[in-house]
Amino acid sequence: MSMDKASADCPYPGCFFCVMKEGNPSKRRASILKFFRELPSQDDDGQVLPISGLWNTAMAHPNDPEFIELGIFECMSALIWKGLKNRRWLSHDQNIYIPYYAAHIIGSYTMNMEEFAERAVRAGIIPPLVELLRGRLTWVEQRVAVRALGHLATYASTFPAVASHGEILELSIQLAMSSLEIVYSHFYQYVDRRLSYHCDLLTRGMGGVEMESRKAEEWASQLQCWSLQLINCFAFKPEFLPTICKPEFLAKLPGMWGGLVNENSPAGIGLLRTICHHKLGRGPVAACPGIIEALCNIARSSDDWQYMAIDCLLWLLQDPSTCHKVIMFSRTILLELIVGIFYL
């Protein structure tokens, strides 16, 4: 279908969907490039429609380079900044959805391809994502911001750009510890005060309060899970362990099971395993009796985390500077564990 024919059938000539129907590849690319450059400066109604279309495309084809080469990261970054700085625009029409979709699109396109992540960093997407992570909008945008930053932190070439924003690690630790409380206080506690766009995003317009609540619980788990994944990227670098290994955070890690509904998440026990792999991390872990007891209990279980807990205990016992503390705090439990392993 030619662009002229598509435009003739559309009440909004030149819209994104018309652009995508252009049959001439060179014209199509030029039109998409123009669309991405001009969208952030426009104030027309209906902007959420092409953004939601791009959200679907990014999830379905995260490895397709076409939009990356034509400026989608620059466009999404500009839209997030616009939502943060122009609250009048944000509250108009359905623009309230746009920062969420924009951050989600960034996360999807940086999920698998390191070269896409490098393009995203060059496009300046980290600063607006950090603003969302800080809670400048709501927990819903925090969730997709930590997801996107977590993807960027997994690559050797883009981790330094993430790490250069020192507050990202601190914010992720706070989110991991308080995600369930945040979602409870902003969604469950006062049903009549729930933001309508949160409900729409959670259910995609289908289902009532019960479905919204179930989905919100899943999203709260994901917020914790993705925060732990991001922290785990930092934990591989010894220089960040002093920030991570604070007693109040370490003590809560064994109970952080945000990864249960997310198979690739390290969860709290996975992060502890990364920490215990470093000598610098083993000291603070051994100093917390509650963690050693929790590790022993997990090691005696039959769930998926059993071997991670055993790894932690072995590293702690093999380290001369921590073994005596571990034995002192949990001698009886360790003996039971050793006997149990012997008879397996």
Side-chain angles (χ1 to χ4, degrees), residues 7 16 32 41 86 112 150 175 182 201 229-230 274 296 326-327:
S7 298
F16 179 73
I32 294 172
S41 62
N86 189 340
N112 302 322
L175 277 178
I182 290 170
L201 286 171
Q229 284 181 305
L230 180 50
T274 302
C296 290
V326 176
I327 293 171

Side-chain angles (χ1 to χ4, degrees), residues 110-327:
T110 55
M111 183 167 50
N112 302 322
M113 307 290 286
E114 186 168 4
E115 62 185 282
F116 291 2
E118 292 169 355
R119 290 285 293 264
V121 169
R122 290 198 296 270
I125 54 86
I126 292 181
L129 288 176
V130 172
E131 293 302 306
L132 295 182
L133 189 70
R134 291 172 61 189
R136 286 280 302 278
L137 294 181
T138 73
W139 67 270
V140 164
E141 290 80 16
Q142 283 180 304
R143 169 181 167 269
V144 287
V146 77
R147 169 181 177 260
L149 289 166
H151 292 157
L152 295 173
T154 60
Y155 303 114
S157 62
T158 52
F159 175 79
V162 176
S164 68
H165 295 262
E167 62 186 315
I168 289 178
L169 178 56
E170 293 278 5
L171 290 168
S172 300
I173 291 171
Q174 291 302 316
L175 277 178
M177 289 195 295
S178 59
S179 57
L180 304 182
E181 180 184 342
I182 290 170
V183 177
Y184 175 80
S185 61
H186 288 86
F187 193 84
Y188 286 102
Q189 195 168 13
Y190 304 105
V191 176
D192 57 330
R193 298 184 193 176
R194 292 179 178 177
L195 297 176
S196 60
Y197 88 99
H198 285 185
C199 298
D200 289 342
L201 286 171
L202 286 163
T203 63
R204 306 296 173 213
M206 298 179 289
V209 172
E210 184 178 348
M211 181 180 288
E212 291 166 5
S213 297
R214 287 202 307 269
K215 199 68 177 178
E217 184 177 346
E218 181 181 327
W219 278 22
S221 176
Q222 288 175 338
L223 178 57
Q224 185 178 74
C225 156
W226 291 334
S227 298
L228 290 170
Q229 284 181 305
L230 180 50
I231 299 165
N232 198 56
C233 294
F234 281 88
F236 283 105
K237 311 289 185 181
E239 61 266 33
F240 297 106
L241 289 176
T243 301
I244 297 171
C245 294
K246 302 290 177 59
E248 62 272 21
F249 179 55
L250 290 179
K252 294 183 178 182
L253 272 181
M256 292 186 185
W257 297 100
L260 281 181
V261 294
N262 303 275
E263 294 179 359
N264 295 325
S265 168
I269 185 64
L271 177 53
L272 270 175
R273 184 182 185 277
T274 302
I275 292 170
C276 287
H277 189 68
H278 297 280
K279 184 175 182 63
L280 191 61
R282 289 193 288 270
V285 170
C288 297
I291 296 182
I292 304 304
E293 183 177 354
L295 286 172
C296 290
N297 289 331
I298 296 169
R300 290 189 297 180
S301 69
S302 58
D303 59 34
D304 294 338
W305 312 121
Q306 180 183 25
Y307 295 104
M308 290 188 184
I310 291 173
D311 282 344
C312 291
L313 290 170
L314 286 175
W315 286 326
L316 289 165
L317 288 168
Q318 289 168 356
D319 187 331
S321 66
T322 57
C323 66
H324 65 285
K325 293 181 182 178
V326 176
I327 293 171

Side-chain angles (χ1 to χ4, degrees), residues 10-26:
C10 178
Y12 304 103
C15 78
F16 179 73
F17 300 104
C18 293
V19 167
M20 294 302 294
K21 292 177 182 177
E22 171 58 62
N24 185 306
S26 61

